[in-house]
Structures are given as C-alpha cells and as structure tokens.
Amino acid sequence: MARPPPLGELPPGYTPPARPATPQILAGSLKAPLWLRAYFQGLLFSLGCGIQRHCGKVLFLGLLAFGALALGLRVAIIETDLEQLWVEVGSRVSQELEYTKEKLGEEAAYTSQMLIQTPRQEGENVLTPEALDLHLQAALTASKVQVSLYGKSWDLNKICYKSGVPLIENGMIERMIEKLFPCVILTPLDCFWEGAKLQGGSAYLPGRPDIQWTNLDPEQLLAELGPFASLEGFRELLDKAQVGQAYVGRPCLHPDDLHCPPSAPNHHSRQAPNVAQELSGGCHGFSHKFMHWQEELLLGGMARDPQGQLLRAEALQSTFLLMSPRQLYEHFRGDYQTHDIGWSEEQAGTVLQAWQRRFVQLAQEALPENASQQIHAFSSTTLDDILHAFSEVSAARVVGGYLLMLAYACVTMLRWDCAQSQGAVGLAGVLLVALAVASGLGLCALLGIAFNAATTQVLPFLALGIGVDDIFLLAHAFTEAPPGSPLQERTGECLRRTGTSVTLTSINNMVAFFMAALVPIPALRAFSLQAAIVVGCNFAAVMLVFPAVLSLDLRRRHCRRLDVLCCFSSPCSARVIQILPQELGNGTVPVGVAHLTATVQAFAHCEASSQHVVTILPPQAQLVPPPSDPLGSELFSPGGSTRDLLGQEEGTGQKAACKSLPCARWNLAHFARSQFAPLLLQSHTKLSRLSPQAVVLVLFGALLGLSLYGATLVQDGLALTDVVPRGTKEHAFLSAQLRYFSLYEVALVTQGGFDYAHSQRALFDLHQRFSSLKAVLPPPATQAPRTWLHYYRSWLQGIQAAFDQDWASGRITRHSYRNGSEDGALAYKLLVQTGDAQEPLDFSQLTTKKLVDKEGLIPPELFYMGLTVWVSSDPLGLAASQANFYPPPPEWLHDKYDTTGENLRIPAAQPLEFAQFPFLLRGLQKTADFVEAIEGARAACAEASQAGVHAYPSGSPFLFWEQYLGLRRCFLLAVCILLLCTFLVCALLLLNPWTAALIVLVLAMMTVELFGIMGFLGIKLSAIPVVILVASIGIGVEFTVHVALGFLTAQGSRNLRAARALERTFAPVTDGAISTLLGLLMLAGSNFDFIVRYFFVVLTILTLLGLLHGLVLLPVLLSILGPPPEVVQMYKESAEVLSPPAPQGGGLRWGVPSTLPQSFARVTTSMTVALHPPPLPGAYIHPASEEPTWSPAATPAANGPSNLGPRGLCPATG
C-alpha cells in the first residue's frame, strides 16, 4: 500500500528509543491471575497482528468459509408436528407415545372437523328452533362440500369415518349397507329428524324411491325384505344397537315441512318441539346404545333450573369425523374408482386437506353477515396451516430489521473527522454478523437440527442484536488505541484490549444457551442449540474476520480517504506535527515512571490554504505530578483536549471556519464522563443527604422486592389462543371452544406384561378409580360405561340370556343349536370350550358353566376365545368401545347351519399387549386444572401397577401439559447450574472470584426481576419463557463483564476506577443495547401476538434491565464492594513535587512551572510526550482524542488492560 508523505522531517542520525518499561507495579508481588491474563492478552495481540498482516487473505477465506456454511440452509427442515415439538425427550410421555406408535402406528383413528355457533349478542339463548335452523344451514353447507382432485370428486360420504360397518353374508344387503351406513357426526341436530339431512348416503331398491336416512325406517325395510332374504342376524344386530326407526322416529324442528315423516312424534300436532327438553340429556346417532352424544359435547354455557332441567345454552357444536390418511388409502386401495390414478397415502392426505380447507371456508360463509348467530369452523388442517404460517420466515421483517441495524451502525460510527469516522466499518460489521448468523443456521441444518417457529421468527433478530454488540466494542476500542501505537500493531492492540471481554461474553452466551437446552422440550432444545451455535459463529466472525475489516479501514484512514466513499480523498484531514523526544530539564526522568501526563504549551491554527487543522508543540515541556485528589479534581471537572485548542482560535483572531460544532463534540463517552459518572458516583447531592449510590441501592432493592411479589403472580400455561393471531377467525373459534367446550378426549391404555384374563377385577378397579377423578366426565346414569371390557361382558351376558331362553324352550339341546337364535348358538359354541388343546370341547359345561360368573368376571379359559367371537360378531360395540386391540383378535365367521363341526373350533386371541378405555375430561381451563387431572390419572395408574396392571393415560393433555409437572424444578435447576457456570467462567477468565461473584449477583437479580415483571404483565410460564429466562443470564453478561473488566484493570480509588470503567464501556454497551433493541423491534410487527408478548416484550425488558444493571447498579456495587486494584501507581498521592532518589548512574529531577500563559491550553493524556517512541517515518499518527480521559495521571492501563503484559512485535505492513 502506498504510504502518504511524511508529516515531518526527522533529524539525521535519529534513533528511536527503546520501548518503555511497564508503567505500573503489581499490588504486592507478581500475581498469577495478572500474569495469566497478560499471557492470554499476548496471544490475542499476536493474533491481531497476524490478521492485520494478512487482512485481505483472512477476509477472503473467512467470507468463503461462512458463505459455504450458509449454503447449508438449503437442506433446512422446518418441523411443525406438535408431538415432535412439545413432547419431552426421554420422558415417560415420550416413552408411552413411542409404545403407542409401535403398537398402533403413527396416526389417530380419525380427525375432527368442528363447527361452533354462538350468538352475536353475548348471553343470548341458542336453544330455539330459529338458532337450530341457522346451525342446520351451516352444517348442511359444510356436509355438502365436494372437492375435485386427480380427476375424481370427493364428498363427505366417501371420506368420513364410519363406526363399525357390519359384514353381511347377503351381497345385496351388504352393498346397500355400505352406501347407507352413516358418517359419525356429533351434532345437536341428531335429536331431531333434520339430523338425517347431514347424512349423504343413498341406496336403490327396485320399486322404491331412493333410500336415504331422511326416509329410511330400518324396521319397516327389514319387514319388507324379510320374505326375500335371510336377515335374522342383521335384524338382531340392529336390535342390539337399538336402532329402532332411526331418524324418522324423531321430532321435526319444523313439523310443517313437507318432508317431515309421518312417524315423527309432532307430525300430526304440527307443534314445534321444546328444544331444551329434547336436548336435555344429549342426543343419539342412528344407534341409541352405541352413539350417545352427551350434552357437554353439543351445548356450551348451559343453565339449569333448581331441579336440574336444562333451560338455556349459549353455544352449539357439531363435530364431523373424517378418516385418517392411512384409513382413506386402505379404503380405496384396489377400488375401481382409484385404480387409474396411482392411489397413494400421500394423495389420500392431500384429498383430506383440500376437503377440510373447503369445509372451513364454506362453513364460515354459510350464514349472512346480518344473522343473529355466528359460525366458527376449525379443522385439523387449520391447525397445521397455523403452525406452518407461524414457522415461515418473514422476509420483509428480516430485511427491515437488518436495514435498521445497518442504518444505526453507519450513523453511530460516522464522524465529522474522516480520520476517525467508521461508517463503512459499521456497515461491514452488520453484514458480517448477518452472514455469521446465516452460516450458523446453515451449520445447524447440516447437523440435522430441525428448525421451528422460534428459530425462524426470533433467532435471526436476537442473534443479530447480540452479535453487533461485540462489533461496537471492537470498533470503539480500535479508535481509542493508545497514542503512539505503531500502525502495524493497531489491530493486535485492539484485540488485546477487548478480546478478553468478547471471549468472556461469547463463552457465557454459549454456555447459557447450552444450559437452556436442558429444558427437555424438543422445540426449545433445538432453539437453544441453534442459538449456541450461532453465537459461536458470531464469535468466530468477530474475533477472526472483523479485525481484518478494521485493518483494511486503517489503511483507508492512513491514505486519508473518505469514509464509506473510500475512492475519494478527504478534503479535511487533521494533521499533527510530530514532536521528537526532548530532554526534560536536565535530561532525566523519574525512576520507574515510564509514562507520565505532560502539561505542554501548544498552539493550534487553521491553514487557510488547505483547511487543515495544525497543532504545534514546542520542544520543551514540563512534567507535573498527579493531583492529590484525582477523583475530585479530575473526574468531575472537564479536561482539555485538542478540541479545546481549536476553541481558542476565536480569541486569537483566527478563522472561525475551523471551529468544531458543539453537536459534533458530544458523544456517549463525553456524556458518561462529564454528566453520568459524576451524578452516579459523587458522595452527596445538594437536594438530599443520601448519596446517589444509596439512592441507586434503595431503588434497585425496591425493584427486587416488587419482582419477588410479581413472581408469585406468574401462572403456568400456554394456550393455543396465545399462539394464534388475534382478530382472526381461527382465534375466534379457539376462544369460543376454550370458553364453552373445554373437553378433551383421552384414553387409559393398558399394556402387555400381565394376564388380562386373570386381572379383570384389577381392570375394573382401575376404570373405577379413573372414572372417579374430578375432571372425568361421567356417563349418564342410564348408560353403562363406554369401555371394551364392559361392552364385552354385557355382550356375553346377552348371549347367555338368549342361550338360557333357547335351552329352556328346547330350541337348543346338548347335541344341536340350529333351532336356537343366533345369540343362543354363539353362547353354545363358547360354553363347550375348555381351553385345553388336548380336549378342547366339553359339552357337559352347557349346564354347569356360565359365560359370566356371579362376580361379573369372565372365566379365564374363555376370555380370549370369547374376545375373538365378540370382535367378529359385534362390530358396533367394538367400534363404540374404541378398544384398539393389539394384537388384533383373529377373524371368525359364525355359521349357525354348519354341519361339519369345524365351526365349533374358535381360535383364541393372542394375549393383549395394547387396549384402551376412552374418557372425556371436562372443565380444564387453567394449567392448574390440567396438572390436577394429570396427577390424579398418574396416581390411579400407580395404584393399578401395584395390582399388576401396567397402564398409562394418553391424550393431548398428557402430551402437552405434563411438562408443567416439573417445569419449575427444571427451570430452577438450569438457572442455578448456569449461575455456577457463569461464576466459574468469569472467575477463570477474570481470575478474580470477587468480581465474578458481583457479576453473578447482578445476573441473578436480573433474572428474578424479569420473572417478576412477567407476573405483572400476565405472561405465563411455559417452556418458551423458561428458555428466555435461562438465556437472560448469558445475555446479561454482555452488559456486566465489560464494566467489571474495566474496573478490575483500572487504578486508583474504587470511585475513580468505576468512573473510568464507565467512560470506556458506556458507549459500546449502550450502542450494543440499542442495536439489540433494533434487532428486536421487527418482532413487534409480527402477526402473532405470541411473538410480540413472549419474545419482543420479554427480550426488550431483558435488554433494558441489562442496561440498567450493567451501567447503574454494577458501577455502584463496584464503587462500594469492588475488589482492590490489581495494579498501583509507584508515586504517592501528595500535593508536593516528587523527588525520588537518583538511581545509579545519575539522578533525575523534575519540576512544575510556576505559571502557564492563559493563552495556552492544558492537554492531558491525549498527547503524550517523550516517553513513547514516535512512529516510524511516514507512519499514520493517531489523531488526538476527541475527549480527554479521566486523569492526567492516567496510564494505558487506565484505559484498559493494554499494558499488563508484554507485546510481541509485528513486522511493518507492506
């Protein structure tokens, strides 16, 4: 790189003096902590010098490596499966879910599509014919939905879930039943004839109109078909299911309807039914026995009279059940309708999703806007769509956030003085951090860590804010390099001064996020791991690549080119005339003093020709000792600077054009020194006897106390309504569902490992304990429990009764059962079974044995054979029980007229490894309700395990709410471990446990206060706030470590050291906080209220708390309780002139001039004379600092840990 011309001529024979010795001595003797930190800083110095020598190569290779990692985003996978996101890894719920999937497969038996109707005027009664008419209109519109895919038309009748379709030997009847068999629709309309209109099946018989449920009387149809086909078994099946006349025997909402059947109870009277009375007790599907819809499934907001009679309700609900993709695929596999489209399970899923989306759309549009009622529709696909939208990356917000950050970084680092301006560095730093974030996420994708909503919505902004903090810190340190630092060592000096802080904060952030991964929720574990990896990539970019950017900018400044527009030369570059070392007084300096502040006589003027500012220093200077009260005389009084010199031009008649503007002189460092630090650290105020430190401690103590109270207000939970955007139709549905229909389908699963046949009593007891739980919805008093074991026993008792009747009448004898009923023949075949492979039949048992004994138990030797017969003979009962047996019992066909005897051989079912009892949980509004229900269910299963029955509860409450049983314990454990890790890391790198303890104290206060503020804001505790609370400790380190390290390495009294630490760190820490807030600002524009409340609000509060604690509380604590300095000045604080003894070889004396001309200015450490060697000829001269430092006695160590150890020499940059 071409060098600018030398700024001044050096005399012939000039030889640069040797580098001075270390200007401080250690407090006491050489300390290992100080030596170790100096050694680490030496490594950083060597690293920086190496980067500066090869800055172009480092920048190219760094960008290449980060760009290659960023390409990994192409293979990123976004996970939206709720089970994969929220079920704790390795938990009992995870193991139970794995067991369920192993036995039953991946998916549920059916999916639910729901309609909820509520009045527009809150509190209005919906139990009126008019309201039900509107509900019928919406439900009918939804039931008629058709979609065209793959050249086929798909309607509800093709894809709905049908429970227990029976197998009939008569082919004609079987085809008719297949077309007519109703879909499972849970609706209040089933109490009326109009419920049949939702069933779309139809069949054709010669000589009759099309058979539909609106005109189908099963009893009449069987009577008409009886002479033409043997339908006795089918008739018995309908009788057992209590089908009766199905829908035509129910009242009509409008009896004057022309299609209202004559068999309707109010057909002739033409009176509208009493809706509340008809809905009281619930409704039934086409089967009264197996399809009973309880009131709580249909009505919400119910009110009753003192006698318990239903009076009114505020909401209606209808639920349409559809097949799962696997069921739909199996149903149409090999069918003539799909043989030409390459039918697959994926196509089945696409059909279902398209139908569900159309269902929701048409149902919501079914009622006119001026209707008195409103319809809320929802489907499982709607939830998937919400999660996909929630997980999508908002390109506009990402670009907007990064543009804001670019603008802030550029404007903040721009200066009027082009030699000090770093706007291009700010732009490059933000872009570099953006690339580092992309590369970190790409690395996560390559490692197989799935992305989720937290990753896509939050992490890009959070990581940007955290990463830019260190960019500001390095940039500030680079401009404040010690005067006289050689050009080729400038980057090494910067890393040595700030590398420790950056390393410490980055390591703590990574440790924080890795500790947050202890929260065993997959979504948040993935988020924490990704955040830790991204922080690591940011750290690598800041420590390796960004110094190369600073080195390139240093060349730009050395060439006196404009900032940002670096192709143009600067028209107003500051020039400083180089002063050669001069002999002081008699040519001696004090013993042991290698760096002193000089009071010099200086003149400044502005050259009219070039507009260059020229500062001229005379060859003689007098050294003065430091004042006796540095804090009082230096800290709280403005010092001089080269800027002050310019201000004198007005008085001497020089051109005012070169006078700097006041607004150009103000910056955060100036504010921290001249206003903030004096106000914070002075001993007393005029308005109060209390010192500012005491006021700060009282205020933060009050905040801590309020936060402790707020912590008691924090509730657990995360409702789906918190995630879905407010004001949307989906949010309206979920709010109505939570208010009126807080019901959850759950199951009590029994596993293998025990003998079901010999554990029937324990199974009944388990069911009874579970049914007695407060949250379990009990069945109606007139209905038996809806479980497979009860249905199975009831069926056996029914066929036993039929056998007894046939035996008594002589239709069944010891040798024949053909004349008996179908049920009697089934009982005959079961009663002769012995369960012995050698002698499987014993006919003597016909009169000595019962299928169910007096205690209500099934004989163990008949249990599994009877199970085979029940499953094959009672499909409606099996479907209603939702048993889901595994292994499934074998198929067995009963033939009463078989004469071979083979039909007597009944294969026994295999021992069960999976079965379940269904239940409904009600009244679960708050997380405490869920936790109580979960604990009760677990206790019931624990009691059953003592009796040898292995069981566990299953369902969404146990999948997503069981985490709250141990969430607080997990949170406290993670916080305690992380605070301990932070203490160890800080103590290790700072090598000062005292300072580390103060940092941990402040971080703990921040966490407690953030938790308490969450309570006041109504933010509930779930896994997501837990991650933020845990990560807050690592993020808080960004605001505390820089101040603590500056205090630790400064010298002087505690107050002076705290003030110096504030001057050094106030600007970068504040800039970092503002940059973090700007990164978070774009989260405020999210469509999801959840993102705004749980991420933007919480992280913004965390940033503000970090700023207050790092720049207000911690300096006060350090000024009161801070550790002693690691280095001290050699001279004693005295008002008199120091006269140390002369060393061997001659003594040195120094003095203070009696007066200084008023036209001269006092210059502090911004200009150092004689004791630092001048730069090489032609080297860039660091411009005078815009603001003075804290003390004329300040040494380089006062500005940072720059001189705590030896520096390696760097060769000159070419």
Side-chain angles (χ1 to χ4, degrees):
M1 182 179 71
R3 297 180 181 271
L7 298 179
E9 294 287 341
L10 292 176
Y14 168 74
T15 302
R19 186 175 297 278
T22 304
Q24 295 96 359
I25 65 171
L26 306 179
S29 59
L30 185 65
K31 293 182 179 179
L34 200 60
W35 182 88
L36 289 174
R37 193 183 310 119
Y39 177 76
F40 180 66
Q41 290 173 329
L43 296 178
L44 293 173
F45 179 80
S46 300
L47 174 65
C49 291
I51 293 174
Q52 183 171 348
R53 283 197 303 270
H54 308 286
C55 56
K57 300 175 184 177
V58 171
L59 182 61
F60 174 76
L61 293 177
L63 294 179
L64 185 64
F66 285 121
L69 288 176
L71 294 177
L73 288 172
R74 299 178 61 184
V75 298
I77 299 174
I78 298 180
E79 182 64 72
T80 58
D81 184 359
L82 285 176
E83 292 181 359
Q84 297 295 327
L85 290 174
W86 294 104
V87 177
E88 297 182 23
V89 178
S91 65
R92 60 183 176 186
V93 174
S94 176
Q95 297 171 2
E96 291 161 359
L97 184 62
E98 193 65 30
Y99 183 85
T100 302
K101 291 181 178 180
E102 177 187 349
K103 302 304 178 184
L104 297 184
E106 293 288 334
E107 53 188 31
Y110 52 79
T111 59
S112 300
Q113 286 48 244
M114 290 161 283
L115 298 179
I116 293 180
Q117 176 179 318
T118 57
R120 293 190 183 275
Q121 183 176 353
E122 187 173 350
E124 186 178 341
N125 183 26
V126 296
L127 300 185
T128 63
E130 293 74 21
L132 281 176
D133 275 342
L134 293 175
H135 195 73
L136 173 62
Q137 180 180 341
L140 195 58
T141 301
S143 69
K144 302 302 181 184
V145 169
Q146 289 188 354
V147 294
S148 295
L149 284 175
Y150 312 113
K152 310 294 179 183
S153 179
W154 305 89
D155 59 16
L156 177 62
N157 197 52
K158 287 184 179 180
I159 65 176
C160 70
Y161 176 74
K162 298 181 178 182
S163 175
V165 181
L167 298 177
I168 306 298
E169 296 180 5
N170 188 295
M172 179 187 68
I173 301 298
E174 183 178 7
R175 287 190 296 271
M176 183 180 68
I177 290 176
E178 183 180 355
K179 294 180 179 180
L180 275 176
F181 204 83
C183 299
V184 178
I185 303 175
L186 290 71
T187 173
L189 297 169
D190 273 349
C191 282
F192 308 94
W193 167 77
E194 280 76 6
K197 294 183 178 181
L198 303 182
Q199 303 293 344
S202 63
Y204 172 75
L205 284 177
R208 291 180 57 95
D210 284 350
I211 301 176
Q212 298 178 343
W213 283 103
T214 54
N215 59 17
L216 173 60
D217 184 345
E219 294 178 349
Q220 180 182 352
L221 180 62
L222 288 179
E224 293 178 1
L225 296 178
F228 306 102
S230 176
L231 299 175
E232 181 181 355
F234 184 52
R235 182 182 289 107
E236 289 187 5
L237 180 65
L238 296 181
D239 290 341
K240 288 179 184 179
Q242 301 175 10
V243 174
Q245 291 182 302
Y247 290 98
V248 297
R250 303 176 188 181
C252 298
L253 276 173
H254 296 283
D256 53 352
D257 189 335
L258 297 178
H259 299 286
C260 180
S263 54
N266 62 342
H267 174 75
H268 300 290
S269 64
R270 302 293 178 179
Q271 292 183 354
N274 186 330
V275 174
Q277 182 178 349
E278 295 294 337
L279 289 173
S280 181
C283 300
H284 297 85
F286 80 97
S287 168
H288 278 253
K289 181 177 181 180
F290 298 120
M291 296 182 177
H292 177 251
W293 324 134
Q294 293 178 251
E295 287 178 349
E296 289 79 3
L297 293 172
L298 310 176
L299 306 177
M302 292 180 286
R304 303 179 185 275
D305 62 14
Q307 288 73 35
Q309 294 297 318
L310 180 64
L311 293 179
R312 53 185 287 111
E314 297 180 12
L316 302 172
Q317 177 175 257
S318 291
T319 306
F320 295 74
L321 303 187
L322 302 184
M323 285 188 281
S324 65
R326 173 68 60 83
Q327 288 178 326
L328 184 60
Y329 166 69
E330 294 290 344
H331 181 73
F332 282 101
R333 186 175 62 172
D335 190 272
Y336 73 94
Q337 301 180 65
T338 58
H339 74 280
D340 59 336
I341 61 174
W343 184 241
S344 65
E345 190 171 343
E346 292 182 2
Q347 290 177 327
T350 303
V351 168
L352 289 171
Q353 291 176 357
W355 194 93
Q356 289 171 334
R357 292 189 180 100
R358 188 64 174 163
F359 167 89
V360 172
Q361 177 187 356
L362 293 183
Q364 291 173 342
E365 299 172 354
L367 300 185
E369 294 184 0
N370 59 354
S372 61
Q373 307 284 314
Q374 55 186 345
I375 293 292
H376 313 287
F378 199 80
S379 71
S380 56
T381 299
T382 306
L383 181 58
D384 293 337
D385 292 341
I386 290 173
L387 293 176
H388 280 289
F390 189 52
S391 303
E392 288 180 354
V393 180
S394 175
R397 289 208 311 275
V398 172
V399 172
Y402 280 57
L403 288 177
L404 267 179
M405 193 73 72
L406 284 169
Y408 177 77
C410 183
V411 171
T412 302
M413 302 178 74
L414 279 175
R415 295 291 185 272
W416 289 102
D417 186 353
C418 298
Q420 294 189 11
S421 182
Q422 291 182 301
V425 170
L427 293 175
V430 173
L431 293 176
L432 178 62
V433 171
L435 179 61
V437 172
S439 66
L441 294 177
L443 179 58
C444 294
L446 293 174
L447 294 175
I449 303 176
F451 288 24
N452 56 67
T455 304
T456 58
Q457 296 282 347
V458 178
L459 191 54
F461 307 103
L462 178 61
L464 177 65
I466 294 176
V468 173
D469 292 352
D470 294 331
I471 294 292
F472 281 116
L473 187 66
L474 262 69
H476 276 275
F478 197 77
T479 59
E480 296 173 359
S485 298
L487 178 71
Q488 62 271 24
E489 297 182 3
R490 193 66 55 81
T491 305
E493 186 68 31
C494 176
L495 283 187
R496 190 176 65 165
R497 288 158 58 87
T498 59
T500 302
S501 296
V502 173
T503 302
L504 186 57
T505 55
S506 298
I507 290 178
N508 269 284
N509 272 327
M510 286 189 285
V511 171
F513 284 115
F514 278 126
M515 292 304 302
L518 290 176
V519 179
I521 308 299
L524 303 180
R525 175 168 292 181
F527 172 80
S528 302
L529 292 176
Q530 289 162 342
I533 292 174
V534 168
V535 168
C537 289
N538 277 343
F539 175 60
V542 169
M543 293 294 288
L544 299 178
V545 183
F546 187 64
V549 175
L550 292 173
S551 301
L552 290 176
D553 187 68
L554 182 62
R555 294 186 180 184
R556 188 268 309 167
R557 292 159 59 186
H558 178 55
C559 294
R560 303 190 186 102
R561 295 188 177 274
L562 286 175
D563 190 15
V564 182
L565 303 175
C566 56
C567 296
F568 301 95
S569 298
S570 170
C572 187
S573 300
R575 293 179 57 199
V576 178
I577 292 182
Q578 190 168 314
I579 303 301
L580 299 181
Q582 301 293 329
E583 192 175 272
L584 304 177
N586 60 354
T588 61
V589 294
V591 174
V593 179
H595 177 81
L596 292 174
T597 300
T599 301
V600 300
Q601 296 175 343
F603 302 92
H605 71 275
C606 183
E607 294 182 358
S609 60
S610 62
Q611 297 293 311
H612 288 171
V613 178
V614 180
T615 301
I616 304 175
L617 294 129
Q620 297 294 331
Q622 297 292 326
L623 302 180
V624 297
S628 60
D629 183 13
L631 184 61
S633 60
E634 300 158 20
L635 177 59
F636 303 130
S637 62
S641 69
T642 53
R643 298 284 185 182
D644 298 330
L645 299 179
L646 298 178
Q648 298 182 24
E649 292 298 317
E650 184 176 4
T652 58
Q654 300 294 334
K655 293 183 178 181
C658 293
K659 182 179 179 181
S660 61
L661 298 175
C663 62
R665 299 182 56 190
W666 190 94
N667 57 29
L668 289 174
H670 177 274
F671 170 76
R673 180 188 59 205
S674 61
Q675 298 178 9
F676 183 73
L679 177 64
L680 184 66
L681 300 175
Q682 61 183 328
S683 58
H684 65 277
T685 63
K686 298 179 180 180
L687 300 179
S688 173
R689 295 182 179 180
L690 291 176
S691 65
Q693 291 100 322
V695 174
V696 168
L697 294 178
V698 169
L699 291 178
F700 276 91
L703 177 61
L704 181 62
L706 284 175
S707 300
L708 290 173
Y709 171 72
T712 63
L713 304 178
V714 178
Q715 298 180 353
D716 295 345
L718 177 61
L720 196 55
T721 51
D722 295 331
V723 178
V724 178
R726 296 183 182 273
T728 61
K729 295 179 179 179
E730 293 81 6
H731 188 274
F733 171 87
L734 293 171
S735 300
Q737 185 186 46
L738 182 64
R739 177 178 180 181
Y740 296 115
F741 299 100
S742 186
L743 292 172
Y744 295 86
E745 292 184 356
V746 299
L748 183 58
V749 175
T750 51
Q751 302 172 262
F754 69 97
D755 187 359
Y756 281 69
H758 291 87
S759 303
Q760 296 175 60
R761 177 56 61 194
L763 289 171
F764 282 120
D765 291 343
L766 172 60
H767 178 269
Q768 180 59 36
R769 280 194 296 269
F770 206 93
S771 301
S772 62
L773 295 178
K774 174 184 175 182
V776 172
L777 178 64
T782 58
Q783 184 179 351
R786 189 166 56 96
T787 70
W788 68 268
L789 193 55
H790 289 88
Y791 282 154
Y792 177 27
R793 182 177 66 176
S794 176
W795 179 82
L796 288 176
Q797 289 171 337
I799 64 172
Q800 178 72 61
F803 172 82
D804 292 341
Q805 186 176 359
D806 290 341
W807 184 273
S809 63
R811 290 193 295 270
I812 291 182
T813 64
R814 180 184 178 94
H815 304 289
S816 176
Y817 53 80
R818 294 182 200 172
N819 296 327
S821 61
E822 292 286 339
D823 285 352
L826 283 173
Y828 178 97
K829 294 178 180 181
L830 283 173
L831 287 170
V832 300
Q833 306 295 321
T834 63
D836 186 354
Q838 301 297 328
E839 297 181 0
L841 303 177
D842 183 358
F843 293 94
S844 65
Q845 296 181 160
L846 288 170
T847 57
T848 62
K849 196 172 187 178
K850 295 292 184 182
L851 297 178
V852 179
D853 62 22
K854 295 180 180 179
E855 297 180 359
L857 303 179
I858 304 167
E861 64 274 11
L862 294 179
F863 185 86
Y864 287 108
M865 287 183 287
L867 194 63
T868 298
V869 177
W870 175 62
V871 168
S872 301
S873 305
D874 190 15
L876 290 175
L878 176 65
S881 71
Q882 302 179 31
N884 287 331
F885 291 128
Y886 182 86
E891 292 185 1
W892 178 80
L893 293 178
H894 165 60
D895 184 2
K896 188 174 69 169
Y897 300 102
D898 175 59
T899 59
T900 63
E902 289 298 323
N903 205 239
L904 289 175
R905 299 185 181 275
I906 301 174
Q910 297 182 40
L912 295 176
E913 298 178 14
F914 185 96
Q916 61 185 22
F917 299 150
F919 292 93
L920 281 174
L921 300 184
R922 63 174 177 179
L924 302 182
Q925 297 284 342
K926 301 179 180 179
T927 302
D929 301 329
F930 286 94
V931 170
E932 181 182 357
I934 292 170
E935 290 176 342
R938 292 293 182 185
C941 293
E943 291 182 19
S945 65
Q946 298 177 0
V949 174
H950 306 302
Y952 62 85
S954 175
S956 57
F958 304 98
L959 288 179
F960 307 124
W961 275 272
E962 184 146 343
Q963 57 180 289
Y964 295 104
L965 295 180
L967 184 63
R968 296 201 175 216
R969 177 185 55 81
C970 183
F971 164 56
L972 291 176
L973 177 64
V975 167
C976 293
I977 294 177
L978 181 54
L979 287 175
L980 178 61
C981 291
T982 302
F983 174 80
L984 294 177
V985 171
C986 292
L988 181 64
L989 292 183
L990 295 178
L991 297 166
N992 192 306
W994 191 336
T995 306
L998 289 177
I999 291 174
V1000 169
L1001 173 63
V1002 172
L1003 295 178
M1005 290 181 62
M1006 284 177 53
T1007 305
V1008 172
E1009 289 162 5
L1010 179 61
F1011 189 70
I1013 293 174
M1014 284 172 47
F1016 287 117
L1017 295 179
I1019 297 176
K1020 298 178 182 178
L1021 183 68
S1022 63
I1024 290 177
V1026 163
V1027 166
I1028 296 178
L1029 286 166
V1030 173
S1032 68
I1033 298 175
I1035 297 173
V1037 172
E1038 295 275 354
F1039 301 98
T1040 55
V1041 164
H1042 305 311
V1043 176
L1045 187 60
F1047 176 86
L1048 192 62
T1049 55
Q1051 64 182 44
S1053 64
R1054 284 193 176 102
N1055 273 14
L1056 183 60
R1057 291 159 61 206
R1060 286 171 175 168
L1062 275 176
E1063 181 191 13
R1064 281 191 59 238
T1065 60
F1066 187 88
V1069 169
T1070 303
D1071 283 337
I1074 295 175
S1075 68
T1076 302
L1077 292 175
L1078 286 176
L1080 298 174
L1081 182 62
M1082 301 311 295
L1083 296 178
S1086 174
N1087 295 328
F1088 293 89
D1089 183 66
F1090 172 78
I1091 294 292
V1092 177
R1093 284 174 54 81
Y1094 282 78
F1095 284 100
F1096 170 71
V1097 172
V1098 175
L1099 288 173
T1100 299
I1101 293 172
L1102 169 61
T1103 304
L1104 296 178
L1105 286 176
L1107 201 60
L1108 289 175
H1109 286 75
L1111 298 181
V1112 178
L1113 178 62
L1114 183 59
V1116 169
L1117 290 178
L1118 289 172
S1119 69
I1120 298 174
L1121 304 174
E1126 292 181 338
V1127 293
V1128 297
Q1129 295 172 332
M1130 289 190 64
Y1131 56 78
K1132 297 180 181 179
E1133 295 186 1
S1134 172
E1136 300 178 358
V1137 177
L1138 297 179
S1139 300
Q1144 295 180 358
L1148 300 178
R1149 290 187 299 274
W1150 59 318
V1152 186
S1154 58
T1155 59
L1156 285 174
Q1158 293 183 356
S1159 59
F1160 296 156
R1162 179 180 297 273
V1163 182
T1164 60
T1165 54
S1166 59
M1167 307 188 75
T1168 305
V1169 179
L1171 296 182
H1172 278 301
L1176 297 177
Y1180 168 72
I1181 305 301
H1182 188 276
S1185 174
E1186 184 175 307
E1187 297 295 341
T1189 53
W1190 282 101
S1191 170
T1195 65
N1199 293 328
S1202 57
N1203 286 321
L1204 296 180
R1207 292 189 294 185
L1209 296 178
C1210 298
T1213 305

